[in-house]
Amino acid sequence: MIDYTEQESAEDSDELYEHHRIIVDKGQALLRLDKFLMDRLANVTRNKLQEAIRAESVQVNQKPVKVSYKVKPFDIITITLPDPPRDTEVLPEAIPLNIPYEDDELLLVNKQAGMVVHPGYSNWSGTLVNALTYHLQNLPTTQHGAARPGLVHRIDKDTSGLLVIAKTDYSMAYLARQFFNHTIERTYYALVWGVPKALQGTIIGHVGRSAKDRRVMAVYPDGAYGKHAVTHYKVLKSFRYVSLLQCNLETGRTHQIRAHMKYLGHPLFSDATYGGDKILQGTPNGTYKAFVDNAFKLMPRQALHAKSLGFKHPLTKEFMQFDSVLPEDFAAVLEKWAVYEEPL
């Protein structure tokens, strides 16, 4: 028996892992850890469990153990696993990908804006997952038509930037553990309306689905609903009416930066979902209105780019840092707003 089990869902998270905590019953006989967990976790193979144990994503009493460890009464077992694949079969598609780095364990993709990460309603093809299924054919993470081959996190359709993709079950478990422990370094660039009074700060507020519109995430500062979310920000440049921010994620909730910045009173520029596609600073008429309308045309999507990514390599254990240049639309909008640049 299990006295206590908890599981975190990835439904409202950009981090695709599940977390379990199991307290072993007092009457449990000695049993190998992988065999014990096989009977208690759904949608997981013994091989994936063994790789997760080797990756130290399964811990007993807050310590990593070997696959051969025998569970004992009152052991506290914590497990962090990649989110199980959906039942939907994914067809491989030969879609070009921008891959700045790749080795036998993982690869990085610099996703273009407009590309959906994984198939879903109205987007069954042309997604990043379709492209990855083709690129990584015959690897364990893409066999059997898995709906999320190698994915341990995601970004929005109209957000551009870096994603790390695992190529083995071991690397998936190892990276998932880093996301759970918040040791992955993620830096985003965001263009927002207005200039925050505090040029740097931290936004702490639960993020969850809005009761009025399920497509939108809302901030619940009292923590009564949603999931704990933390965003650190720093103003890099002020353009009088808009400003360029560096945002570092401590957690990875769906639409976290977009929801947090709206809550702060500074929606992302051109973000239609959160009200940033209207003139929110300055007089909305005359030459200024024409100027902003042209800027909207240059970048008809939220001004958000996943610029850098840092993590510990699953095999070498070396901390690796990757950076990317801003895409053309983002760079063009910044160049346009430069005429209003002011010293901070």
Side-chain angles (χ1 to χ4, degrees), residues 85-90 117-119 129 133 141 144-149 151:
R86 299 174 180 178
D87 294 333
T88 307
E89 183 179 3
V90 177
V117 170
H118 53 74
V129 163
T133 303
T141 52
H144 313 299
R148 288 174 179 164
L151 286 182

Side-chain angles (χ1 to χ4, degrees), residues 182-187 248-249 308-311 319 321-322:
H182 308 309
T183 56
I184 298 278
E185 293 186 3
R186 287 173 288 177
T187 299
N248 292 90
L249 293 183
S308 68
L309 196 59
F311 54 86
F319 190 83
Q321 187 82 33
F322 297 92

Side-chain angles (χ1 to χ4, degrees), residues 43-70:
N43 302 314
V44 63
T45 65
R46 189 171 178 182
N47 180 69
K48 285 189 176 182
L49 276 174
Q50 291 175 344
E51 293 293 356
I53 295 169
R54 292 188 183 99
E56 300 185 359
S57 290
V58 178
Q59 300 195 356
V60 180
N61 303 323
Q62 299 183 325
K63 295 180 180 179
V65 294
K66 294 183 178 180
V67 175
S68 58
Y69 176 86
K70 301 287 199 308

Side-chain angles (χ1 to χ4, degrees), residues 61-83:
N61 303 323
Q62 299 183 325
K63 295 180 180 179
V65 294
K66 294 183 178 180
V67 175
S68 58
Y69 176 86
K70 301 287 199 308
V71 298
K72 300 185 295 294
F74 305 113
D75 274 347
I76 298 175
I77 305 171
T78 55
I79 310 107
T80 306
L81 294 171
D83 202 38

Side-chain angles (χ1 to χ4, degrees), residues 121-285:
Y121 178 72
S122 78
N123 290 292
W124 296 110
S125 63
T127 71
L128 176 61
V129 163
N130 293 107
L132 288 171
T133 303
Y134 179 86
H135 182 77
L136 304 175
Q137 290 183 73
N138 302 319
L139 287 178
T141 52
T142 54
Q143 288 176 354
H144 313 299
R148 288 174 179 164
L151 286 182
V152 285
H153 68 134
R154 59 192 168 194
I155 55 180
D156 298 334
K157 171 187 175 183
D158 290 324
T159 297
S160 54
L162 296 175
L163 287 162
V164 60
I165 313 296
K167 296 172 70 172
T168 66
D169 288 334
Y170 171 84
S171 290
M172 284 190 73
Y174 193 87
L175 289 168
R177 184 74 184 177
Q178 290 185 70
F179 276 103
F180 175 72
N181 289 336
H182 308 309
T183 56
I184 298 278
E185 293 186 3
R186 287 173 288 177
T187 299
Y188 287 72
Y189 273 17
L191 187 66
V192 304
W193 280 106
V195 182
K197 291 181 180 178
L199 296 183
Q200 64 181 44
T202 298
I203 308 168
I204 302 175
H206 278 47
V207 172
R209 299 279 172 183
S210 168
K212 298 179 181 179
D213 186 349
R214 293 283 297 173
R215 297 170 299 176
V216 176
M217 306 302 284
V219 177
Y220 300 88
D222 59 359
Y225 182 66
K227 293 183 178 181
H228 177 65
V230 180
T231 303
H232 306 283
Y233 75 88
K234 177 182 179 181
V235 179
L236 299 178
K237 290 185 178 182
S238 168
F239 302 108
R240 189 183 307 172
Y241 305 111
V242 298
S243 54
L244 177 66
L245 270 58
Q246 173 183 306
C247 296
N248 292 90
L249 293 183
E250 191 169 307
T251 56
R253 309 307 179 196
T254 297
H255 294 187
Q256 179 174 314
I257 293 174
R258 300 166 71 186
H260 267 173
M261 294 315 301
K262 168 135 179 126
Y263 171 73
L264 196 65
H266 301 281
L268 267 63
F269 180 80
S270 200
D271 189 349
T273 303
Y274 291 89
D277 61 338
K278 305 176 185 64
I279 297 177
L280 301 180
Q281 295 285 327
T283 305
N285 54 39

